[in-house]
């Protein structure tokens, strides 16, 4: 199962510069769609007009080889899975009380890996334990969760994180060497600021659609300090 971050943008060229600086390789291109492979997971870039209501937003999609086969064996926890035609093609729609509605798509293009950056997008939800359990039931592997029950991440080909907050999505990445990544980004004229957080270092990266510091995209190093965290799924509180 591949985890894909999809960004809807009136500035596809800027996103492509970022994708290349992250070490990505383009595996598919049409008039409105670009798909990049990363070290783990994928980055999709969908061109939209600046006046589009989704301009500057993102979404999280899971990709599987065969929708019908996946659906036949799926055992979702507290979610409804329905297959059919959507605005972007045939897909499985995942509807649940714990996560914003999202899709499971068929894998497109060549399945390959490029560079060391992992796609690590965030689901925001007010129901973190339930959301993490749902993603695990769909086939993602539980990794870390906070003891406070406000954070969890799960892995497959890529990383999907669940964070407490107003329901929605946010772009994020993970890279094992933020010093090297920072150099790559700056060489591409992309602003990048290294910050030492309590859980580890993070790189605040200029957003292709919004140059303000408030919109910066986080790229984290793999977490090694587990104080306040545990392996596996969060527990309900």
């Amino acid at each position: 199962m591949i985890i894909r971050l999809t960004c809807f943008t009136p500035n596809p060229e800027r996103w492509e510069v970022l994708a290349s600086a992250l070490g990505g390789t383009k595996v598919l291109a049409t008039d409105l769609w670009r798909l990049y492979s990363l070290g783990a997971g994928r980055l999709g870039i969908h061109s939209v007009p600046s006046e589009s209501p989704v301009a500057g937003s993102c979404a999280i999609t899971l990709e599987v080889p065969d929708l019908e086969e996946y659906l036949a064996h799926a055992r979702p926890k507290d979610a409804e899975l329905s297959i059919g035609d959507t605005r972007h093609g045939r897909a499985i729609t995942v509807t649940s009380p714990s996560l914003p509605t999202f899709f499971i798509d068929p894998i497109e293009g060549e399945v390959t890996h490029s560079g060391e950056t992992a796609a690590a997008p965030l689901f925001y939800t007010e129901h973190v334990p339930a959301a993490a359990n749902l993603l695990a039931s769909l086939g993602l592997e539980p990794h870390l969760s906070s003891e406070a029950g406000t954070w969890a991440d799960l892995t497959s080909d890529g990383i999907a994180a669940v964070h407490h907050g107003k329901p929605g999505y946010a772009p994020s990445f993970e890279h094992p060497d933020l010093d090297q990544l920072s150099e790559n980004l700056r060489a591409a004229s992309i602003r990048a600021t290294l910050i030492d957080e309590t859980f580890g270092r993070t790189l605040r990266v200029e957003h292709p659609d919004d140059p303000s510091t408030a919109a910066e995209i986080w790229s984290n190093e793999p977490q090694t300090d587990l104080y306040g965290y545990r392996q596996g799924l969060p527990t309900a509180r």
Side-chain angles (χ1 to χ4, degrees), residues 57-212:
S57 68
C58 70
I60 302 172
T61 302
L62 305 180
E63 296 182 348
V64 297
D66 186 289
L67 296 181
E68 280 75 12
E69 182 179 354
Y70 174 83
L71 194 60
H73 296 92
R75 298 294 182 269
K77 190 167 185 177
D78 299 324
E80 177 183 344
L81 273 57
S82 58
I83 190 170
D85 293 331
T86 69
R87 294 179 64 181
H88 68 277
R90 189 166 176 79
I92 296 171
T93 302
V94 183
T95 308
S96 77
S98 61
L99 282 175
T101 297
F102 64 98
F103 298 102
I104 301 174
D105 283 2
I107 293 174
E108 293 183 285
E110 182 183 2
V111 177
T112 184
H113 298 92
S114 178
E116 296 182 281
T117 304
L122 277 69
F123 286 101
Y124 280 101
T125 175
E126 296 176 349
H127 311 285
V128 171
N133 276 275
L134 165 58
L135 293 175
S137 74
L138 294 178
L140 300 186
E141 182 69 25
H143 179 225
L144 294 178
S145 60
S146 67
E147 293 176 356
T150 58
W151 165 273
D153 62 9
L154 302 93
T155 64
S156 186
D157 189 339
I159 303 164
V162 185
H163 197 295
H164 187 269
K166 182 179 178 181
Y169 313 94
S172 181
F173 300 96
E174 185 176 280
H175 194 281
D177 186 348
L178 293 187
D179 296 303
Q180 182 60 59
L181 179 58
S182 179
E183 291 182 14
N184 297 345
L185 292 167
R186 289 169 182 162
S189 299
I190 299 171
R191 187 181 70 247
T193 305
L194 193 59
I195 304 292
D196 195 353
E197 301 281 358
T198 56
F199 56 82
R201 299 195 307 167
T202 183
L203 198 62
R204 309 287 181 87
V205 180
E206 181 180 2
H207 196 298
D209 293 319
D210 185 346
S212 70

Side-chain angles (χ1 to χ4, degrees), residues 21-33:
L22 293 172
T25 296
K26 191 185 298 182
V27 296
L28 194 65
T30 66
D31 289 344
L32 300 177
W33 178 244

